[in-house]
Amino acid sequence: MDNQVEGLDDYLKKLDMVQKKAPSRIMDELDKEAKTIVRSYRKMIKVNAQENPKKKRNHLRNGMKYTETEKKQGEYEKGIFNDSKKAPHYHLVEHGHKLVKGKRGRKGEPSQQRVIGQVKGKKYFFKTFKTLIPKIEKDREKLLEKAFKELS
C-alpha cells in the first residue's frame, strides 16, 4: 500500500509540474502557429503578384502582421492584423466589393453613381489558413504527446 501512495505522490508532482508549464507552452505554440500563418500568407501573395505583374500586391503582403495590441488599459491582445496604413484596401480585396460607376454628388446634390457589378473577394487569407490546418493540427498533437510523456 505504501508503494502505491509513493507512486501516486510522484504522479501528482509530475501533474502539477505539467499543469504549471502548460499555459506558457500553449502560448508559445500559438505564437509559432500565427507566425507560420503570416509567413505563408505573404508567400501566397508574392506568388500571386508574380503571376500578374500589372497588379502590385506588395502593400497586402507587407500589411499583414502578427502583433500585440492594447485592448484596454493594461490588457493586451495578440493577433494577426492587417496594418490599415500600409494596406487600407485589404478588406476590399479579401472580401470583394461592389463595382460602382459615376460621380458622387456634392453636398445637397444627388449622386450619379450606379452599381454595375460585383467584384468577388480573393480570399487569400482564408485559402492560406485552410492549407495550413493539417500542419497546425499535427503540431498540436505533438504538444499533447509531449505533455503525456512527461507524466509517464
Side-chain angles (χ1 to χ4, degrees), residues 6-137:
E6 287 177 22
L8 185 61
D9 288 339
D10 291 339
Y11 183 77
L12 289 175
K13 286 178 186 177
K14 287 181 183 179
L15 188 62
D16 283 340
M17 181 186 68
V18 169
Q19 191 174 7
K20 287 177 184 176
K21 290 182 180 180
S24 64
R25 285 183 179 169
I26 291 170
M27 289 305 294
D28 291 344
E29 182 68 25
L30 291 174
D31 288 344
K32 190 175 101 177
E33 287 173 6
K35 289 174 185 175
T36 303
I37 291 168
V38 170
R39 214 176 305 119
S40 298
Y41 171 80
R42 287 181 177 178
K43 284 180 187 174
M44 178 181 252
I45 294 293
K46 189 174 184 178
V47 168
N48 286 327
Q50 289 170 352
E51 288 174 2
N52 191 352
K54 289 183 180 179
K55 295 192 177 191
K56 297 184 180 186
R57 295 183 176 99
N58 288 335
H59 62 286
L60 293 176
R61 186 177 71 233
N62 297 334
M64 189 62 69
K65 294 180 180 177
Y66 173 67
T67 57
E68 186 173 304
T69 58
E70 189 169 354
K71 193 175 176 183
K72 294 180 183 175
Q73 290 180 337
E75 289 185 26
Y76 290 93
E77 178 181 74
K78 285 186 176 183
I80 299 173
F81 297 101
N82 190 38
D83 187 359
S84 60
K85 292 177 185 173
K86 288 188 179 181
H89 302 95
Y90 163 79
H91 64 286
L92 299 173
V93 175
E94 184 72 17
H95 304 296
H97 58 88
K98 292 178 183 176
L99 193 58
V100 179
K101 187 174 183 180
K103 294 181 180 179
R104 264 193 237 169
R106 293 186 181 178
K107 292 181 182 176
E109 294 179 8
S111 174
Q112 301 295 319
Q113 292 180 328
R114 64 182 194 278
V115 177
I116 59 171
Q118 180 76 22
V119 178
K120 289 185 178 180
K122 300 291 184 185
K123 306 282 187 207
Y124 292 129
F125 187 77
F126 177 75
K127 290 175 186 174
T128 302
F129 190 74
K130 194 173 177 182
T131 59
L132 290 174
I133 287 174
K135 183 184 182 308
I136 290 171
E137 288 176 349

